[in-house]
Amino acid sequence: MRKQENDVERILLTEEQIQKRIKELALELEAEYAEKDAIFVCILNGAAPFYIDLIKELDIFMELNFMRVSSYNSGTQSTGNVIIKYDIETDVFGKHVVIIDDIVDSGHTLQSLRKLFAMRGAASVKACCLLDKPSRREVDVHADYVGFEVPNYFVIGYGLDYEGHYRNIKYIGTLKPEIYA
Ligand code: IMP
Ligand code: MG
């Protein structure tokens, strides 16, 4: 049987580090959104594990919603084109939107999402991303809440994939070089 974890070279963030940071982020988000009835939008598929753990820590009046966008065809390079594959099923006009994503890399995805929700008339648009790779930024955009800054490595686990795999690993790590061969 092939084990995903055998392909991991190095653990960058442990399950404990991630879960501790999520509790801290939840407190910050509660402070900002306690009275705002915000819509927390999960950007599928990558943000799913982060989103599920985060919302369980949020003890506020809020809505959940899901969206799927794609900028990566496969491999490890961003194309710069962001396509909506599955749109949220609610009108965000006049509402406070919180984008929940796995990572800000080139920044194209987040920039497109911010523009989209602003265009649809959201009262505010903020983003909470588990990871941030500032060294890879191609557009001037940032997340309002960031779990961890990571160096310029391609990372997998806890939602992040390489060619669709490794999303259900509980920590974040790098893959052995031979996996990309
Ligand atoms: P951006 O549009 O380049 O900022 O990329 C955003 C998306 O690229 C993320 O939501 C991820 O799905 C994917 N991505 C970027 N860096 C990584 C990585 O290191 N590992 C896995 N996926 C990544
Ligand atoms: Mg992805």
Side-chain angles (χ1 to χ4, degrees):
M1 188 178 77
R2 181 166 173 190
K3 291 212 170 179
Q4 297 189 112
E5 297 196 34
N6 289 344
D7 297 350
V8 174
E9 180 170 66
R10 197 155 78 82
I11 297 177
L12 291 182
L13 296 164
T14 65
E15 183 182 357
E16 292 71 26
Q17 285 175 299
I18 295 167
Q19 295 303 326
K20 178 171 175 274
R21 186 71 186 117
I22 285 174
K23 290 189 170 69
E24 293 169 359
L25 289 171
L27 287 177
E28 289 181 46
L29 289 164
E30 279 185 347
E32 177 158 2
Y33 291 101
E35 309 296 335
K36 289 186 177 159
D37 189 10
I39 302 180
F40 283 69
V41 182
C42 173
I43 309 305
L44 297 168
N45 296 325
F50 174 48
Y51 186 77
I52 294 302
D53 286 340
L54 182 69
I55 58 170
K56 286 186 283 187
E57 299 295 328
L58 293 171
D59 187 15
I60 55 175
F61 195 71
M62 58 179 273
E63 275 181 67
L64 308 190
N65 236 295
F66 296 85
M67 184 165 185
R68 195 156 81 82
V69 296
S70 168
S71 63
Y72 277 46
N73 296 325
S74 69
T76 63
Q77 287 301 307
S78 173
T79 60
N81 303 314
V82 177
I83 310 152
I84 299 178
K85 299 265 180 141
Y86 170 79
D87 208 344
I88 57 165
E89 294 173 334
T90 193
D91 186 3
V92 300
F93 187 85
K95 294 258 189 170
H96 298 281
V97 172
V98 191
I99 298 163
I100 310 293
D101 208 352
D102 53 358
I103 187 167
V104 194
D105 187 42
S106 71
H108 290 293
T109 305
L110 184 56
Q111 189 184 56
S112 305
L113 289 169
R114 279 187 182 283
K115 279 187 192 157
L116 180 78
F117 290 122
M119 211 170 65
R120 290 179 180 179
S124 72
V125 183
K126 288 204 175 180
C128 171
C129 299
L130 179 66
L131 305 179
D132 188 7
K133 258 192 228 171
S135 60
R136 295 256 307 168
R137 208 70 95 249
E138 290 170 13
V139 288
D140 184 21
V141 70
H142 72 277
D144 306 275
Y145 299 89
V146 171
F148 303 91
E149 256 190 34
V150 287
N152 184 14
Y153 302 137
F154 192 80
V155 294
I156 54 85
Y158 201 66
L160 294 122
D161 73 302
Y162 173 63
E163 295 186 340
H165 293 91
Y166 312 105
R167 290 194 201 273
N168 55 325
I169 293 177
K170 290 179 181 168
Y171 52 81
I172 286 167
T174 56
L175 288 175
K176 293 173 181 166
E178 60 263 32
I179 305 300
Y180 304 109

